[in-house]
Amino acid sequence: QQQVKQSPQSLIVQKGGISIINCAYENTAFDYFPWYQQFPGKGPALLIAIRPDVSEKKEGRFTISFNKSAKQFSLHIMDSQPGDSATYFCAASKYNQGAQKLVFGQGTRLTINP
Amino acid sequence: DTAVSQTPKYLVTQMGNDKSIKCEQNLGHDTMYWYKQDSKKFLKIMFSYNNKELIINETVPNRFSPKSPDKAHLNLHINSLELGDSAVYFCASSPTSGRGNGELFFGEGSRLTVL
């Protein structure tokens, strides 16, 4: 059972365009929703994150939009650059006994064409 | 300075062998994790330790045995390797402070290939 569903699986955007990746979750107990960026041969690295009491969070060109009632959240990358080409993972988690159990989406391979 | 380091980076072995992957973090975190990334890039948690205590133990075959000698180290031993164990294994760590800020710091991964 996939608790976090992510789409699209792959995305091609022109330089300067807006990249949008969507995720939906099922478990209402989740209390933390991060996005991770992964380059080939590297581990995932935190890009931006949001808690469910906030509907939007913006950090530079990256924005998370969060819809608690619909149990959906999305990542928007404004003015997309070739250096943004990577695999992006949404995740959801609940903090328990000192551990953050992240449940990841399936990933989106983003390619920004110059 | 590498924050979360794993060794080896690559591991090629035959079916039926036993192998170990080691992980060390110098971030002062209390919690460490093992994640498995399959050929489709899907990331799934396997184990988590907080201060050497096992906190998360997902549905993982008991051929996989984690060990945390201290809070800076988390090793993964795999017995009787199978073809399906081929994957990239990521170690991660996170701070513990109340609810925590939720960020996991991942190592660069250990690519295991079972022939």
Side-chain angles (χ1 to χ4, degrees):
Chain A
Q1 183 184 5
Q2 183 62 38
Q3 293 190 60
V4 179
K5 295 183 180 178
Q6 182 173 347
S7 63
Q9 198 170 357
S10 62
L11 180 62
I12 299 174
V13 175
Q14 291 299 118
K15 179 183 174 182
I18 302 173
S19 304
I20 302 174
I21 304 171
N22 300 300
C23 283
Y25 64 97
E26 297 172 2
N27 188 346
T28 55
F30 290 138
D31 59 6
Y32 176 71
F33 300 87
W35 285 87
Y36 279 77
Q37 179 188 54
Q38 185 179 26
F39 292 105
K42 301 293 184 184
L46 180 68
L47 187 63
I48 186 172
I50 198 167
R51 296 209 180 265
D53 51 350
V54 176
S55 61
E56 185 175 281
K57 184 173 181 181
K58 184 175 181 180
E59 289 183 0
R61 296 184 295 109
F62 302 92
T63 300
I64 299 178
S65 297
F66 188 84
N67 185 329
K68 188 174 180 178
S69 60
K71 293 190 283 186
Q72 295 174 347
F73 58 112
S74 60
L75 176 69
H76 290 61
I77 306 174
M78 311 299 287
D79 186 26
S80 299
Q81 299 296 312
D84 296 332
S85 297
T87 300
Y88 292 80
F89 294 93
C90 63
S93 80
K94 180 163 178 56
Y95 183 80
N96 182 37
Q97 294 181 275
Q100 197 76 241
K101 181 180 172 182
L102 287 179
V103 178
F104 284 91
Q106 300 95 319
T108 297
R109 179 172 289 186
L110 175 64
T111 302
I112 307 300
N113 284 334
Chain B
D1 281 348
T2 304
V4 181
S5 58
Q6 302 178 223
T7 53
K9 193 171 173 68
Y10 299 97
L11 193 52
V12 180
T13 188
Q14 299 288 328
M15 258 195 322
N17 284 350
D18 303 338
K19 290 294 177 186
S20 292
I21 306 171
K22 295 186 176 183
C23 179
E24 176 181 4
Q25 55 96 3
N26 63 6
L27 296 168
H29 292 164
D30 293 323
T31 307
M32 296 185 72
Y33 310 77
W34 278 112
Y35 275 81
K36 178 181 180 180
Q37 186 170 48
D38 63 22
S39 58
K40 295 184 178 179
K41 294 264 187 189
F42 184 61
L43 274 160
K44 185 168 168 47
I45 189 167
M46 300 174 68
F47 303 103
S48 176
Y49 273 76
N50 178 265
N51 268 321
K52 303 191 295 177
E53 182 183 351
L54 182 64
I55 300 295
I56 297 172
N57 185 353
E58 290 295 286
T59 308
V60 176
N62 56 16
R63 299 182 294 103
F64 290 78
S65 51
K67 278 192 172 57
S68 181
D70 56 61
K71 70 176 189 177
H73 295 84
L74 180 61
N75 304 323
L76 183 65
H77 186 76
I78 315 170
N79 290 326
S80 304
L81 279 156
E82 300 177 358
L83 293 176
D85 297 332
S86 295
V88 180
Y89 292 85
F90 285 100
C91 178
S93 70
S94 67
T96 304
S97 53
R99 290 171 67 202
N101 66 6
E103 180 172 5
L104 266 62
F105 293 78
F106 285 84
E108 295 205 333
S110 297
R111 181 177 291 277
L112 171 65
T113 303
V114 182
L115 303 175

